[in-house]
Amino acid sequence: MPEHRVGSPIHQLDREAPVYIAGHRGLVGSALWRHLEANGFTNLVGWSSSELDLRDRAAVHERVRALRPAVVIDAAARVGGILANHTYPAEFLSENLQIQVNLMDAAVAAEVPRLLFLGSSCIYPKFAEQPIREDSLLTGALEPTNDAYAIAKIAGIMQVQAIRRQYGLPYISAMPTNLYGPGDNFHPRNSHVLPALIRRFHEAKESGAASVTCWGTGTPKREFLHVDDLAAACLHLLEHYDDPQTINIGTGVDQTIAEIAEMTAAAVDYQGDIEWDTSKPDGTPRKLLDVSRIKATGWKPQIDLQTGLSDTYRWFLQHASEVRG
């Protein structure tokens, strides 16, 4: 089967059939829900963790078998930034393995015709050639600050490929770059870099602080994708992509952390100084995805970083009482 398909969908999804979004209340899942709803899907299904613990294998099988969805999108995961990954590696490995194995095994058992597994760009080697192509997977050592999470996601890619080989089901996996947007986690200790910066600059602005201290040197480069762009890419891939190899989702553009900090300060309208605590880890020096394969299918991002940061800050202000955990 050809790797790239441009034009008419090769898997036209039924807008009235059940679509199960695992992790529908998270950053990615909520964006998927908004996008699919806006595109005419009328039977979206999601269960909160209190309604369905995805680590409970029997319960997952029972729910998926009863629902018999036309599509399963695995946007459920235990996620966090450098500090959270460093502090809780056992949980990040164990819980993510359980979630994805249970979901995929249940989908196979229920003969779900289409599944999308979402991973993370941290699956790639720490010193992979930039921009990172999909075939860089398993060619070098991982970044140690999030290797446990990365190993779990690599196992998910392998499971998708194994299912395709053994059962012939057209399941696919996709690897988004760093994400941000409405619904992000703004926790002061366990969040990713962009929401952490937004909160830090906002609180500094509120308190009148003369400076804000950021982790590391500011020299690593990062690529960021708005979560609404990711949601659009996921629907596009479900209808236009059918290949065992995972596919990158990103912008193809990156900036230094120092540049990103300055852009975030501008979005928040913080006027103070930015200082750097070089005793803190930088993480991977650069992580830019090669997005030529997904662009060849006809998709490209629509939201630039400065616009996305401003929109995310507005969302943060509107939901301040909810996000300040």
Side-chain angles (χ1 to χ4, degrees):
M1 183 171 291
E3 183 175 296
H4 305 307
R5 308 263 184 151
V6 181
S8 299
I10 56 174
H11 291 280
Q12 180 71 58
L13 300 184
D14 182 352
R15 266 54 178 169
E16 297 180 357
V19 176
Y20 171 40
I21 303 174
H24 74 293
R25 290 186 174 177
L27 171 65
V28 173
S30 59
L32 283 163
W33 194 286
R34 289 193 302 270
H35 186 75
L36 293 177
E37 201 167 51
N39 279 271
F41 287 81
T42 60
N43 196 355
L44 301 179
V45 179
W47 295 294
S48 67
S49 57
S50 61
E51 295 169 320
L52 176 63
D53 184 346
L54 293 174
R55 298 167 300 179
D56 185 334
R57 184 173 179 82
V60 172
H61 274 256
E62 181 181 351
R63 287 290 183 94
V64 174
R65 182 173 60 249
L67 179 64
R68 291 204 171 273
V71 182
V72 170
I73 304 176
D74 182 4
R78 176 163 183 164
V79 297
I82 290 176
L83 180 61
N85 275 272
H86 178 73
T87 307
Y88 308 108
E91 285 88 344
F92 273 87
L93 180 62
S94 175
E95 292 184 17
N96 284 301
L97 284 172
Q98 291 176 66
I99 289 167
Q100 62 206 35
V101 167
N102 290 344
L103 279 171
M104 283 192 256
D105 283 353
V108 170
E111 299 180 339
V112 173
R114 196 76 167 131
L115 178 144
L116 169 60
F117 170 72
L118 288 169
S120 165
S121 58
C122 71
I123 63 166
Y124 294 118
K126 179 174 182 175
F127 297 108
E129 182 181 346
Q130 305 289 320
I132 307 172
R133 301 185 312 274
E134 289 88 348
D135 59 12
S136 296
L137 185 64
L138 298 176
T139 61
L142 299 167
E143 160 58 42
T145 57
N146 58 12
D147 55 0
Y149 179 76
I151 288 292
K153 290 301 180 181
I154 291 170
I157 297 171
M158 297 298 109
Q159 188 174 3
V160 166
Q161 293 176 353
I163 287 169
R164 291 181 67 103
R165 289 200 306 271
Q166 185 169 340
Y167 299 104
L169 290 166
Y171 292 3
I172 58 174
S173 65
M175 297 300 114
T177 189
N178 301 292
L179 301 170
Y180 73 101
D184 212 335
N185 171 22
F186 292 86
H187 190 278
R189 286 176 57 83
N190 296 329
S191 60
H192 287 108
V193 60
L194 270 188
L197 288 173
I198 287 173
R199 177 168 181 156
R200 199 171 301 165
F201 284 120
H202 172 76
E203 291 180 346
K205 176 184 173 182
E206 280 194 325
S207 67
S211 66
V212 167
T213 300
C214 300
W215 276 30
T217 63
T219 58
K221 302 188 79 173
R222 291 292 182 271
E223 171 188 21
F224 286 95
L225 179 71
H226 194 284
V227 71
D228 288 346
D229 272 337
L230 171 65
C234 288
L235 175 55
H236 175 83
L237 290 172
L238 282 165
E239 295 197 315
H240 293 85
Y241 185 74
D242 188 2
D243 192 273
Q245 188 176 31
T246 193
I247 189 165
N248 291 336
I249 308 177
T251 64
V253 178
D254 61 0
Q255 292 90 10
T256 67
I257 294 294
E259 291 170 335
I260 290 163
E262 290 168 2
M263 293 173 73
T264 307
V268 173
D269 192 27
Y270 173 70
Q271 303 294 325
D273 296 328
I274 301 174
E275 299 178 350
W276 296 92
D277 182 354
T278 57
S279 69
K280 296 296 192 295
D282 270 337
T284 305
R286 193 182 188 199
K287 193 166 61 174
L288 176 66
L289 296 185
D290 183 326
V291 293
S292 57
R293 292 179 70 234
I294 191 170
K295 285 188 174 181
T297 70
W299 176 86
K300 62 180 180 180
Q302 302 296 319
I303 304 169
D304 66 85
L305 184 55
Q306 193 64 68
T307 300
L309 280 170
S310 297
D311 290 344
T312 304
Y313 181 53
R314 280 194 292 272
W315 185 92
F316 171 83
L317 292 175
Q318 293 164 1
H319 298 82
S321 60
E322 304 168 27
V323 301
R324 294 193 183 188

